Amino acid sequence: MQEFLKMYNRLKYLMIEKLPEYIDTWNKEHEQYQFELKQFTNRTLYKNTELLPCFNMLFEEAEQGKKDRIIGTINYKFSFEFYFEKSKTPDYVKIIQMKQILNEMLNDDDFELWRNFEIVKTTSKRIDFIVHVEW
């Protein structure tokens, strides 16, 4: 549980404080694209905003697989749901860019628990990733 709280607090910091910088950088580096990623309106991880674009973070499960019992690993699954403003650019195009941004942001971060994370699923609104924590 202690690892979960560390991850949650770190993700909260990254999504609220650092993500805007990464979106700005992406927009500057990809001006040739026909769309710009908008900054998210929410300043918290809770579902209390109706302004678009916004996101929600979900903690879905912590599981220990059979083979992981030998190694001593717990898998924490997080999901981000993104809600974009309607535009000519489809949501799945925006989510692909968000996936790249999240991946870069987590890889750049020196937080010790991000050493073993993987993005496992992406839909037009959601990105799921698992963090493998050894104990």
Side-chain angles (χ1 to χ4, degrees):
M1 187 65 166
Q2 193 172 24
E3 287 87 8
F4 167 73
L5 290 174
K6 284 182 187 178
M7 281 187 285
Y8 178 85
N9 288 329
R10 189 61 180 185
L11 280 172
K12 182 178 177 181
Y13 165 76
L14 290 172
M15 294 301 288
I16 302 300
E17 302 299 328
K18 298 304 259 179
L19 183 60
E21 296 172 22
Y22 279 84
I23 290 173
D24 283 344
T25 301
W26 186 89
N27 284 331
K28 288 175 187 171
E29 291 175 355
H30 298 92
E31 288 182 79
Q32 74 274 16
Y33 285 6
Q34 295 181 357
F35 74 96
E36 176 181 345
L37 286 174
K38 305 275 189 212
Q39 292 292 344
F40 293 100
T41 56
N42 49 328
R43 302 297 299 160
T44 180
L45 297 182
Y46 306 110
K47 294 181 181 181
N48 65 350
T49 184
E50 294 181 12
L51 299 173
L52 296 177
C54 64
F55 64 86
N56 294 323
M57 185 179 86
L58 309 166
F59 171 70
E60 293 194 8
E61 60 194 46
E63 64 180 28
Q64 185 177 34
K66 290 181 181 178
K67 71 175 185 174
D68 295 327
R69 289 185 190 139
I70 298 168
I71 302 169
T73 301
I74 296 178
N75 301 319
Y76 293 93
K77 184 176 180 186
F78 287 89
S79 297
F80 292 100
E81 292 179 342
F82 293 93
Y83 302 93
F84 301 105
E85 294 175 319
K86 292 197 184 271
S87 69
K88 293 179 183 178
T89 307
D91 286 352
Y92 72 87
V93 172
K94 296 173 188 174
I95 204 80
I96 289 169
Q97 304 314 316
M98 288 308 306
K99 178 180 171 182
Q100 291 174 350
I101 289 170
L102 284 176
N103 192 33
E104 182 180 343
M105 186 172 67
L106 291 174
N107 279 316
D108 288 351
D109 193 35
D110 61 355
F111 187 58
E112 70 274 4
L113 296 177
W114 299 151
R115 286 182 287 211
N116 296 313
F117 83 90
E118 62 181 307
I119 296 175
V120 293
K121 184 177 178 184
T122 305
T123 67
S124 64
K125 294 262 186 240
R126 186 172 164 152
I127 299 171
D128 297 340
F129 70 97
I130 293 178
V131 179
H132 307 284
V133 178
E134 294 181 9
W135 49 274

